[in-house]
């Protein structure tokens, strides 16, 4: 069952990453203005926020199985509906529905994985789940880049829809035997309000780390395909560039070096990850040669690999099983909101490729500096007396 949930994580992120090289050019082909192009990237993640929060709340109440099942099936339908797009209105509508339904999947899946992780191995287990995310980052962009050049973006989405449909069937076969035992909450637990998550320092750091991680993804989703197109390369090249960072991240996740996430303080690896991602964005703003663009994506991949397990470890350390679904709902809402901010804000500013990457680099650098400042405080793993009950 655990491996099948890893597959769900893989294909959910595969769907996300396969969109990165093709949505901006697809919106351009429809004759959309710059604002609509940015909105077509960001609206998916905007609606994803609501899907994430709904999923987190329902997962704590009903368990992950039915949430996963409905999310997978509804996502399949939304992916098949891309064939109905005929203009800007239908594009934005279908992107909104796609993001909402896809948002139901990940919090439930990661809650399932987190609740089955030993505390002493939570960093390594987060790295393993990160490896599946990294694999999706490798194959997703390359897949969509190649297939969209040979066929169309609609075909890419339809194939993703088939994957989701098969996962729906697989969930019925392999996960229906998983029984969710609803724990009786104490009066103290019942009294906890959703905004209590925003008063816990470890959870706040995890949420902000998630935001800035996906902020950078939103910038890449919007700006990198357009810069590659301007340099007279096709979508396949964008796919390759985006796959490079995924390959680097996966190697760090699966090699013995992944033990660092069990022994190093999450805030330290979080700070290093942010600074490396900032450096890669600055590098992307200055180079035009393909080989140097690849180097920039290698640097970005190292930063991604340091950041992803760190924020997962912080979240696990700061919560208990009874509230972890809700915590992951908000956590992945910050993921989604990060993409919205990255694509919509940068798109709304209508900057050149160079300035867009410089602005993103500056924001990540400032976030990294604040994280380093936070290292001066006591950041030892939070015990049960300080977790959100």
């Amino acid at each position: 069952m655990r491996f099948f949930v890893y597959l769900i994580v893989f294909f959910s992120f595969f769907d996300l990453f396969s969109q990165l090289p093709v949505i901006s050019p697809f919106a351009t082909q429809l004759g959309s203005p710059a604002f609509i192009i940015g909105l077509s990237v960001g609206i998916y993640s905007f609606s994803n926020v609501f899907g994430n929060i709904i999923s987190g709340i329902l997962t704590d109440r009903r368990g992950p199985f039915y949430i996963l099942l409905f999310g997978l099936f509804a996502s399949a339908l939304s992916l098949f509906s891309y064939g109905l797009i005929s203009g800007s209105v239908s594009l934005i509508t279908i992107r909104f529905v796609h993001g909402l339904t896809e948002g139901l999947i990940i919090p439930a899946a990661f809650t399932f994985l987190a609740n089955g992780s030993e505390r002493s191995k939570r960093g390594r287990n987060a790295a393993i789940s990160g490896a599946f995310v990294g694999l999706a980052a490798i194959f997703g962009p390359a897949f969509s880049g190649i297939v969209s050049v040979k066929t169309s973006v609609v075909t890419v989405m339809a194939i993703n829809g088939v994957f989701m449909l098969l996962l729906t069937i697989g969930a019925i076969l392999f996960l229906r035997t998983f029984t969710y035992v609803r724990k009786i909450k104490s009066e103290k637990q019942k009294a906890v309000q959703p905004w209590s998550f925003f008063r816990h320092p470890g959870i706040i750091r995890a949420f902000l780390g998630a935001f800035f991680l996906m902020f950078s993804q939103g910038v890449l989703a919007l700006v990198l395909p357009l810069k590659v197109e301007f340099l007279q390369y096709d979508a396949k090249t964008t796919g390759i560039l985006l796959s490079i960072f995924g390959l680097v991240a996966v190697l760090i996740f699966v090699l013995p070096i992944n033990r660092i996430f069990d022994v190093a303080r999450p805030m330290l690896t979080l700070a290093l990850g942010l600074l490396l991602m900032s450096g890669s964005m600055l590098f992307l703003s200055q180079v035009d040669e393909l080989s140097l663009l690849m180097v920039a994506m290698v640097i970005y991949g190292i930063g991604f690999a340091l950041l992803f397990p760190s924020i997962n470890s912080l979240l696990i350390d700061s919560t208990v099983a009874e509230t972890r679904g809700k915590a992951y709902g908000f956590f992945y809402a910050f993921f989604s909101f990060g993409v919205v901010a990255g694509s919509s804000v940068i798109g709304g500013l209508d900057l050149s490729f160079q300035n867009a990457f410089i602005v993103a680099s500056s924001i990540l650098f400032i976030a990294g500096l604040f994280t380093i400042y936070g290292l001066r405080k006591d950041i030892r793993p939070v015990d049960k007396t300080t977790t959100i009950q």
Side-chain angles (χ1 to χ4, degrees):
M1 289 190 294
R2 189 177 183 85
F3 178 74
F4 186 77
V5 177
Y6 279 135
L7 287 181
I8 292 174
V9 170
F10 170 78
F11 280 107
S12 295
F13 278 95
F14 180 90
D15 181 32
L16 170 64
F17 286 117
S18 65
Q19 299 172 38
L20 299 185
V22 299
I23 291 300
S24 295
F26 183 54
T28 302
Q29 291 170 11
L30 293 172
S32 304
F35 173 74
I36 295 298
I37 294 172
L39 186 60
S40 68
V41 176
I43 196 69
Y44 170 93
S45 297
F46 177 76
S47 62
N48 213 248
V49 170
F50 298 102
N52 292 151
I53 294 173
I54 292 169
S55 176
I57 294 171
L58 294 180
T59 294
D60 279 344
R61 292 180 179 177
R62 304 295 180 185
F65 174 70
Y66 291 107
I67 310 304
L68 284 174
L69 196 65
F70 179 79
L72 289 167
F73 182 69
S75 293
L77 294 181
S78 66
L79 283 161
F80 290 133
S81 67
Y82 274 78
L84 303 176
I85 293 175
S86 57
S88 296
V89 175
S90 56
L91 171 66
I92 298 303
T93 301
I94 289 174
R95 290 286 291 166
F96 181 89
V97 174
H98 183 193
L100 182 66
T101 56
E102 193 88 19
L104 299 173
I105 300 172
I106 291 298
F110 271 90
T111 301
F112 183 98
L113 295 173
N115 288 348
S117 297
E118 295 179 31
R119 187 180 182 86
S120 62
K121 297 180 179 178
R122 86 274 190 269
R124 200 179 315 172
N125 287 334
I128 293 173
S129 61
F132 280 87
V133 175
L135 287 171
I138 294 170
F139 294 111
F143 158 78
S144 62
I146 294 170
V147 173
S148 65
V149 169
K150 295 183 178 296
T151 56
S152 66
V153 174
V154 172
T155 301
V156 172
M157 298 303 179
I159 294 173
N160 286 351
V162 172
F163 290 146
M164 290 298 179
L165 198 57
L166 291 175
L167 286 173
T168 304
I169 297 170
I172 295 172
L173 295 176
F174 300 119
L175 298 182
R176 64 181 178 181
T177 56
F178 172 72
T179 303
Y180 173 69
V181 180
R182 188 175 183 181
K183 297 180 176 64
I184 299 175
K185 296 183 179 180
S186 66
E187 292 302 318
K188 181 180 178 181
Q189 290 171 333
K190 290 177 182 178
V192 171
Q193 300 298 320
W195 52 83
S196 63
F197 289 118
F198 301 97
R199 295 196 297 266
H200 190 286
I203 295 178
I204 291 173
R205 290 161 180 163
F207 287 171
L208 291 178
F211 173 84
F212 287 114
L213 176 67
M214 297 311 289
F215 173 86
S216 67
Q217 286 285 298
V219 174
L220 286 177
L222 176 66
V223 182
L224 186 61
L226 299 178
K227 176 168 183 174
V228 168
E229 197 173 69
F230 176 78
L231 296 174
Q232 299 184 335
Y233 297 106
D234 58 21
K236 181 169 63 176
T237 303
T238 305
I240 292 171
L241 288 171
L242 291 170
S243 295
I244 286 173
F245 97 78
L247 176 61
V248 172
V250 166
L251 289 175
I252 294 174
F253 287 147
V254 301
L255 291 174
I257 194 176
N258 67 13
R259 292 184 177 86
I260 191 177
F261 300 115
D262 287 332
V263 296
R265 295 187 296 180
M267 283 283 283
L268 177 60
T269 48
L270 172 60
L272 291 175
L274 285 169
L275 293 177
L276 284 171
M277 290 164 63
S278 170
S280 71
M281 291 285 181
L282 183 61
F283 197 31
L284 282 171
S285 72
Q286 302 299 314
V287 299
D288 292 331
E289 295 180 17
L290 184 58
S291 59
L292 295 178
L293 292 173
M294 290 180 177
V295 172
M297 295 311 292
V298 168
I299 298 171
Y300 183 88
I302 297 172
F304 183 97
L306 290 173
L307 190 54
F308 186 82
S310 304
I311 54 181
N312 272 278
S313 294
L314 282 170
L315 194 69
I316 293 171
D317 285 348
S318 305
T319 57
V320 293
E322 289 83 357
T323 58
R324 196 162 287 144
K326 198 181 285 92
Y328 267 107
F330 283 111
F331 181 69
Y332 281 99
F334 273 84
F335 261 69
S336 302
F337 186 58
V339 180
V340 174
S343 59
S344 300
V345 172
I346 297 299
L349 293 174
D350 198 20
L351 302 171
S352 65
F353 306 132
Q354 182 181 30
N355 290 334
F357 281 127
I358 288 175
V359 169
S361 174
S362 301
I363 293 172
L364 292 172
F365 183 73
I366 293 171
L369 290 182
F370 273 105
T371 306
I372 291 173
Y373 176 77
L375 284 167
R376 298 175 58 187
K377 301 178 181 180
D378 183 10
I379 54 169
R380 291 171 294 178
V382 185
D383 61 28
K384 290 187 177 181
T385 63
T386 56
T387 55
I388 290 293
Q389 300 291 321

